[in-house]
Each structure stands twice: as C-alpha cells, then as structure tokens.
Amino acid sequence: MDNIAGTKSSLTWAVHISVVILVALWLFPTLGLLVSSFRTSDQIATSGWWNATFPSTQNLTLRTEPPKSQIEREGEFIIEGNLFGSAGSSQIQVYGIASNALGAYQVGETAPLRNGGTITVLANGDYQMKNSEAFKGKRGQRVFVTAETPPKFTLENYRNVLFDPANSEGMAKAFFNTLTVTIPATIIPILVAAFAAYALAWMEFPGRALLIAMIVGLLVVPLQLALIPLLKFHNFVGIGKGYFGVWLAHTGFGLPLAIYLLRNYMVGLPRDIIENAKVDGASDFQIFVKIILPLSFPALASFAIFQFLWTWNDLLVALVFLIDATGETTVMTKQIVELLGTRGGNWEILATSAFVSISVPLLVFFAMQKYLVRGLLAGSVK
Amino acid sequence: MHPALQGLITIVIGVGGCVAYYYFSNQFLDKVLYPPRGPRAGHNINRANLIRPWLFLFPALLALGLYLAYPVFETLRMSFSERLPGGGSAFVGLDNYSQMFAEPKFWEAMRNNMLWLIVVPGLSTAFGLLAAQLTDRISWGNIAKSLIFMPMAISFVGAAVIWKLVYDTRPIEQEQIGVLNALYLYFGGSDPQTWLTLPIWNSFFLMIVLVWIQTGFAMVILSAALRGIPEETIEAAILDGAKPFQVFFKIKVPQIIGTIVVVWTTITIVVLKVFDIVFAMTNGQWETQVLANYMYDKLFRANDWGLGSASAMVIMLLVTPILIWNVYNARKEMR
C-alpha cells in the first residue's frame, strides 16, 4: 500500500518515533529488573537502576583505625590508613567529621578534630590523623564522606541465588521442582488431545457437533471452580497433594485448548490424502499415526509452547494441588511470592530470583515465537 | 524417589499408557470384536466405525468430564451447602449467598472486578490496535512486535515483581529507586507516594500490569486481521480522498470489528480469572480485592468452602454470557 500516491506520508518519522516510544515503555520495566539483578544491594538501595551506568554518588559513614594503631613520629602521634580499607575506585569529593556538617571540608583540606588534633582526607580515601598528644579511646574517628563510585556490575547475586549451598531461598530446588511439574504436564495432554481432535475432525458419528460445542464452552470455564471439588477428589482416591495431582490437573485444564487447536488445524488438512489412504486400505489408527500426526506438527508445537508457558508460570494450580505443608515441592512462582512477602526490601535477591524464573519462558518465547503466534491465531478463544 | 525420576517415569507411563490404550483398543475392535472378514464383514466394518470414534475420544472425555464439567456442578452443589464438623455437608439453601452479599469485602471485589473488566480489555485492545497499525508500516516492525509481545511469556508473579520495582517507595531523604516516584518527584511532586496503598488508584496500578501483559496478545491477533483486509477497499478510500485517520477508523476498524470483539472477550476472560497479580502485589489489601482472590481467601484461608464456592459461582456467572456467545459462534462457523 505504500506505493499508492498519497500514502507515503511525511508522517513516517512520526510512526518510527511512536513505535520507539511504545517499545521503550514496554521494555523499560523488565529492563529495570534485569539491570537490578546485576547490582549489589547497596547500589540498588542508593540509586535508581537507570543510573547504573553512571558513577553513583553516595554518602557513606566510615571509620578510621582505632587509636591503638597510632605511631609516634617526631614528637607527634599519627594514625594513617585508607578509609575504604584499601585504595579502590571510589573517589571522595567532600568530607566532614560531624553528622550535622556532612560536606564541611574539601579533600586535601585539614580539619580540626573535636578532641584535639587534625585529620586530612585525600580523594582516594587515604587519611592522616595528627595530634601532639596520644589519641585516646577504643574506636576510630567517624568520617562522613560523599564519594563517587564508578558503575559496577556483579554476578554475585546469581551465584547466591542459584549455587550457594547455604542459601535459604532454595531457588535451585524450586527450579527443578518447576521443571518436574512442567514437562509431564506438557507432554501428556498432547497425545490425549491429538486422538480426540482427530476423531472430532475426520470421523463421522452422531453427537460430534455437540461435543465440539461442549469443548468450546469448556475453554472458558474458570479453573477456580475446579479447585475444591478436585482437591476433594484427589484426597478421595488417595493422590492427595503432590506431583501426580498437579500433572493430572494441568492435563485436564489444558485439554480443551489442546483439542480445540488441534481439531481446527487437522480439519484444514487436505481431504485427498486421507481419502486416498483409506482407499489403499489404511485404518483410522494408521492414518492418524502415519499421516495426521506428522502433518500436525506445527499445531502440536504451538500447543506445547502454550502449555509449557502456562504450567511454568502457574501459581494457583501449584498452590492448591502441589505444595503441601512441608514446602519440599515448592515451585518458583510460590518461592517468589514468599520472597515478596518476607524480604520485600531485598531487591537483589528478589530481582535475581524473578529473573531466573522468567528466563526459561523468555528463552522458549524467543526461540519458538513463530509457533506461538500461529497457535494464538488459531485458537484465540481461551 | 527423586521427583525428577518420578516425573520421567510418569511421562513414560503416561505416554506409553496412552499409546498402548489406543493401539490395543483398536486392535481389539478390529481383530476380536468386529473383524472385517467372514460372512458379516460389511456389517462388522460399519459397527467398528461406529465405535472407533469413542475409543479415540474416551480418555479426553473422561479427563474433561472429571476435571472441568463435574467441578462446575459440584461447586454449584457446594455453594448451596455447608460443611459439617466431622465431615459431610448439609443443604443450607441460599445462606452462603446471602452471607456473601452482606460482606463489604465482596462488594469491594465486585466493584474492582467491574473496573478491571472495563479498563484492562479496553486499554489492551486500544494499545494492541495502535501497536499493530504502527508496526505494520515500518521495516523493523517485527522486532518491535516481538518486544511488545514479550511480556506474554512472563508469569504474572514475575510481572508483579517487575512492577513492584517500578512502584517502589523510599523515604523522602533517600534517592528513589522506583521509576514512578522518581518521575513524580522530578515533575514537582512533594512527597514520594506509596502507590500500592492509595485506594482506587492502586487498583489502576495493578491493572496496568495486566494491560502490559495482554497488549502483545491483542497486537498479534489484530495485526493479522489488519493484514487480512482487502487492499482494494483501502486504495479506493485513498483515491476518494480519505485522510489516514479516516482510512483507519472508517475503513479498517469496521472490517476487523469481529476480531476486536474476539480479542476483547478473550482478555475479559483473563481478567475474570486474574489472581496472581493481586495475590502477589497487595493480596487484596488497601481495597484492591478482586473476585478470584476473594475466593482463594475464603477457600483456603477462612476454610469456608460454602462461601468460596458461592464466589466461584459468581465468576462462572460472569463468564457464562461469553461462553454462550463463543459456543453460538462456533456452531455458526461449523455450518
């Protein structure tokens, strides 16, 4: 359409800018979490993540060495050292020695101490305290500095969340639990649904239209209704809460969409192939296994992605059917909700855990987007 | 046994069991019950073909019946009864419903759900339509689309964390780490706000999270619909002197109105079921309760199955018009 006279408007640049803004708006929140997961807790707490690539200015309270480390030189008592422990990359701009006069002195200037003597602080944190008589007391002098720290990113958070054996968050365990829930819950419904979809697409029998209508209806039944009756049922047959129950539940909840998607796809396959096979003496079972199943791969793939994303991201079904009082079988979504409740301020742990949990679906999403879109277009009822 | 191993065995048994069921039941039908041989071969083939569809359908129908259809009726029954101590239940008529209607928290959930029902499908569809229209016209549109579509893959819980960081609040003397407060102060706000505790507004802040997730879905569907519009109609409109906005609103939108309705109703269903976002971000505090979370509260915190089932039936009731509409459309299409 762009080649018709009058459509190539001068507004093209406006379109580009609008899309840039839209994409930026949609990306910005996720980017914030990603950047935060690579920062230390101090950095997250003292500056916005959008400042992460700039040096950050922090107000720090540091201490000099205690008086017992003083040395006597040419009649003066001297304490020397570095406020940061060792000269690092932070640059001090101003400093003070009282909490009510934070930036009273420039670096290099000499400040008089309240209990006698003087202190000089340099930009890299080196200091020298001088006094004509010995320094007294147990603790070092407090120094209030305003320091500029260059941007720094760390993988420490990921190491803590995933590999630290002492880590109480148990993200690694939750990760494997989630995987254990997801894979059977994705694979089992596919096969069940494929057979049913074939019957609904290519076999003639009374009541077929009614069944299809029923499946379309079941597509939108909120699974909230199923929670208590099914929990009662699981307890009744002795499954209780556990992996088996959650696999069954996900299978049941995923089936309407699976059947609907696959039937819609199979009905579109060319009639000739199937009729030729029938003429050649193939049974329905053979036609299904040898012809329909391989041809339906795109639809199978798109349902598999849906079901994978849905089971991986699920919280409610896991809460109700899987996670018991011991908490051994917790999944990542539950773990993150827990972190939100108990450690809502620890953004470095929260951000990293959240990113670990969304990285797998994101990977699947970007790798298999084609099938996902195709599935959405075929079954946009759920 | 290690759960991963258990999972592996379940896959093998589940898949193997399904395959075995289908294979042997078909074999049984063809070889034993109605073999297509002998004097009654024709009759047998017809009989076998009558039965076979049900062999194919049986496992799916069993699962659907047990996991979706039966619970609807069981929940309906439970909403009219109450649990007796020591097991069992007694019919109490409409008691659960009248008790629920007397609770202010229920009406708060209803009011919020109605707001969600208007705002989220509306904004998602509008943004989706905008994004679809704009990205279809530029060379890097597919990349833009895939980035806007990306939140679809993120769990509601993950999205809750992402947006909690956006809404984070620090005391005034510290630097803000939440974007919203940083912007608010930058544009002259006096005090950092705790956004999620401001009644009414906080519901909108939660809705934004779902809009953010669902816009990509709307965009993908609507973009396909926009591309399906016959070019002649647009060319004709342009030759007749239609402005770009007129082309969009008077030519394109009316032609995809059916798809817009589908997108709208689909997001409506998602909204009615929304649970994780509220559960993770505010847990219904500060007047942000919604029906699904209210129901979870009643079922699993208050342990009141009667009241919980009654609120689940309210969700079902709200879904029913869409259910009927979908079934009606599906039947129309099949004819």
Side-chain angles (χ1 to χ4, degrees), chain A residues 44 225 232 234 247 369 382, chain B residues 10 67 74-75 146 177 266:
Chain A
I44 297 178
L225 271 82
K232 268 165 64 179
H234 281 176
W247 290 327
Q369 204 180 9
K382 193 179 187 183
Chain B
T10 310
Y67 276 84
E74 175 65 10
T75 304
S146 117
I177 66 166
T266 309

Side-chain angles (χ1 to χ4, degrees), chain B residues 29 37 57 119 142 185 189 219 231 246 264 269 308 318 333:
Chain B
L29 190 67
R37 283 186 304 272
L57 282 167
V119 174
N142 279 338
L185 293 183
M219 176 196 66
E231 282 191 24
Q246 286 175 315
W264 190 292
I269 303 271
L318 291 172
E333 246 167 60

Side-chain angles (χ1 to χ4, degrees), chain B residues 156-190:
Chain B
F156 286 172
V157 174
V161 176
I162 289 175
W163 283 88
K164 261 213 142 153
L165 182 60
V166 173
Y167 298 146
D168 190 277
T169 310
R170 299 275 141 161
I172 179 97
E173 62 272 10
Q174 288 176 26
E175 198 175 336
Q176 296 299 320
I177 66 166
V179 178
L180 195 60
N181 264 320
L183 285 177
Y184 179 72
L185 293 183
Y186 182 79
F187 286 110
S190 51

